[in-house]
Amino acid sequence: MDPKHLEEMISYRRKFHQFPEEGWTEFETTYFIVSKLKQMGYETILTGKQIINPQTVMGRDKAKVREAIDRSVKDGVPLDFIESCDGYTGAIAILDTGREGPTTAFRFDIDGLLVMESEDPNHLPVKFGFASKRPGRMHACGHDGHAALGLAIAKWLIQHKEELKGTFKIIFQPAEEGVRGAAAIVGSGILDDVNFIVGSHCGGLAKLGQMALVHGGVLASIKYDISFKGTPSHAGSNPHLGHSALMAACATAMMLVGIPRHGNGVSRVAVGTLHAGEGRNITPVHAKIECEIRGQTEEVLNSLSENVEKIVKGNSVSYDVESKIERAGYSTTLIECPDLLEELRDVGKQIPEVKEIIDLNAPVGGEDFTLMIKRVVEKGGQGALFRWGCNHRGHHKGDFDLQDTESMPMGFEVFTRFAQKKNGV
């Protein structure tokens, strides 16, 4: 990788790291990406409802979006850009080489997490002065590196346009955390003509120097927001007139974690938050649970989902309260395309930074890139996911890091060499 190109990519990553934005609020990140793409010479850059289907959006908090817009404008993002985004984040750059060939898409997620960054002086972002400037928010899963990688690859593609054929779509996806953003992009139809789609993620089980081909193990998942609305009363003088949303929520939380695990595959249930009540002596009127389920197959996931809905409805009746259950996120299992994975393996064998290629199939977390692969495969194409390794102490933690100067060049080389392999003249 050219040293100047590497230096620029690392500078992008460290800038993104300082200004993390939660899913569906990445207006500053999107503006930076779009600005750089324009400087590179991209003429077709799609944003807003051009790439987002509002009907398939999940887990988007309108109040947080409004706050993010106000913050972004205050920080210098032009209002006309914000308005052009229709309230949505993310971008897709399209490069048409003018020569007949396949349509190849690369996906990079851009959102951060609600995690407080470590202040340990040995934590690399602290040590080198690019730690998050937003307390309680951090790029604790490497999406800052993903976004920077996307920009670097976009620049390489346009610089090598004359050596390539077909069309490229470079996807900068919002709201991967909570598996919320991919469904909205899939729903727009922007992937329906894609022949090959490749995504990557740093770390996981892949250590520095390792390239991991993901064959399976990615669990299907549904994220739920469950709310209860009760009837208020004075807990001392009129307790019999009240109906407690809190008690309904507590009973629901206990029953959710008691759902029997499925015999036909890995299953997971997690209750993450429960917020309820208005005061010490008031029968709680409002309660909200944030939870998730995961399954090794759609069959397992659907079984868990049926149990969730039965429990919520049953407790709504039992405690005489209103209930509402919403899907705040969804992803599916990974469709394996063996031929494309083997082509990636061949690519990896040619890269000096790749010291070892490993194969992953163990049950791990969720990834909404699975929805993009599914759509492309349904339309006759192929898709694959790989990991470029880094050394870390665990994702979604305040001390997460990815050794950018050492780890990111591998990701860059895999994508650019794959582009040459599939779309080279």
Side-chain angles (χ1 to χ4, degrees):
M1 184 177 183
D2 180 85
K4 290 184 178 180
H5 209 153
L6 173 61
E7 182 180 356
E8 184 177 59
M9 180 172 68
I10 300 306
S11 72
Y12 291 157
R13 183 257 163 161
R14 297 186 178 188
K15 179 176 177 62
F16 288 137
H17 192 87
Q18 294 177 72
F19 301 100
E21 297 176 287
E22 188 181 356
W24 293 126
T25 73
E26 315 97 319
F27 291 100
E28 291 182 53
T29 303
T30 299
Y31 177 65
F32 183 86
I33 289 169
V34 170
S35 298
K36 293 300 178 183
L37 290 170
K38 288 181 177 178
Q39 291 174 16
M40 294 174 196
Y42 279 85
E43 297 179 358
T44 304
I45 306 169
L46 308 179
T47 59
K49 292 180 183 177
Q50 294 173 305
I51 63 169
I52 298 292
N53 181 350
Q55 294 181 345
T56 53
V57 166
M58 289 181 285
R60 178 174 174 269
D61 187 319
K62 293 182 180 179
K64 287 185 177 181
V65 170
R66 287 193 295 269
E67 291 175 5
I69 288 173
D70 291 342
R71 183 205 69 223
S72 299
V73 171
K74 184 178 179 180
D75 289 347
V77 178
L79 184 58
D80 60 348
F81 176 80
I82 295 289
E83 291 174 345
S84 72
C85 291
D86 305 308
Y88 297 100
T89 47
I92 296 180
I94 299 178
L95 179 64
D96 186 346
T97 66
R99 286 173 286 277
E100 185 176 351
T103 295
T104 298
F106 296 144
R107 176 273 207 161
F108 308 93
D109 40 17
I110 66 174
D111 54 324
L113 285 154
L114 298 179
V115 171
M116 179 69 74
E117 183 148 30
S118 170
E119 296 181 356
D120 186 330
N122 293 317
H123 178 49
L124 294 182
V126 174
K127 185 176 182 178
F128 294 108
F130 64 93
S132 172
K133 297 183 183 297
R134 293 181 171 150
R137 286 171 171 76
M138 178 192 170
H139 273 292
C141 198
H143 297 187
D144 51 343
H146 300 172
L149 188 60
L151 282 176
I153 290 162
K155 185 169 185 176
W156 184 92
L157 289 171
I158 203 163
Q159 287 179 336
H160 292 80
K161 179 180 176 181
E162 296 307 313
E163 304 164 25
L164 301 168
K165 63 184 178 182
T167 300
F168 291 92
K169 295 186 177 183
I170 307 104
I171 305 162
F172 295 91
Q173 183 208 309
E176 189 282 326
E177 298 295 351
V179 291
R180 297 174 288 161
I185 290 180
V186 169
S188 75
I190 194 71
L191 303 181
D192 289 359
D193 64 345
V194 170
N195 301 111
F196 307 106
I197 187 166
V198 176
S200 77
H201 203 296
C202 64
L205 297 177
K207 303 305 180 184
L208 194 64
Q210 291 180 324
M211 173 186 174
L213 301 175
V214 185
H215 295 264
V218 179
L219 304 180
S221 179
I222 300 174
K223 318 300 182 184
Y224 286 113
D225 288 342
I226 301 169
S227 56
F228 295 97
K229 182 179 180 182
T231 305
S233 71
H234 191 290
S237 60
N238 299 110
H240 62 291
L241 298 179
H243 301 286
S244 175
L246 172 57
M247 291 301 102
C250 287
T252 298
M254 293 300 293
M255 294 177 73
L256 288 176
V257 297
I259 293 174
R261 299 306 181 257
H262 206 285
N264 291 338
V266 172
S267 55
R268 302 280 190 269
V269 178
V271 178
T273 69
L274 194 165
H275 301 281
E278 291 72 39
R280 187 187 305 275
N281 64 346
I282 303 169
T283 301
V285 182
H286 299 98
K288 181 180 179 181
I289 294 172
E290 294 177 322
C291 64
E292 67 173 27
I293 55 175
R294 300 176 190 244
Q296 190 170 353
T297 66
E298 286 287 340
E299 175 201 2
V300 173
L301 188 71
N302 291 336
S303 175
L304 295 174
S305 178
E306 290 172 4
N307 275 281
V308 171
E309 293 177 4
K310 288 177 182 177
I311 289 169
V312 172
K313 291 178 182 178
N315 282 324
S316 178
V317 173
S318 297
Y319 287 86
D320 198 12
V321 297
E322 298 177 19
S323 64
K324 183 179 181 181
I325 181 167
E326 295 179 291
R327 287 193 177 193
Y330 168 71
S331 63
T332 188
T333 53
L334 183 68
I335 296 175
E336 184 179 6
C337 299
D339 292 345
L340 203 62
L341 284 169
E342 288 308 307
E343 290 190 79
L344 284 171
R345 189 189 305 275
D346 291 341
V347 167
K349 289 177 179 178
Q350 308 302 317
I351 298 172
E353 290 84 358
V354 177
K355 307 305 180 185
E356 181 183 13
I357 299 176
I358 62 176
D359 297 281
L360 298 181
N361 202 22
V364 291
E367 166 62 82
D368 67 359
F369 180 59
T370 55
L371 297 176
M372 294 189 179
I373 291 181
K374 180 181 179 182
R375 181 68 162 208
V376 170
V377 170
E378 287 174 345
K379 296 294 182 178
Q382 298 179 66
L385 174 66
F386 75 93
R387 285 184 176 269
W388 40 277
C390 66
N391 295 333
H392 60 86
R393 297 182 179 88
H395 291 260
H396 294 203
K397 294 177 61 179
D399 59 355
F400 177 83
D401 195 40
L402 50 78
Q403 304 86 42
D404 49 20
T405 58
E406 299 170 83
S407 63
M408 291 176 62
M410 179 192 296
F412 176 86
E413 291 293 340
V414 174
F415 277 108
T416 53
R417 292 182 187 227
F418 180 85
Q420 290 173 307
K421 186 177 183 68
K422 303 302 289 187
N423 291 70
V425 172

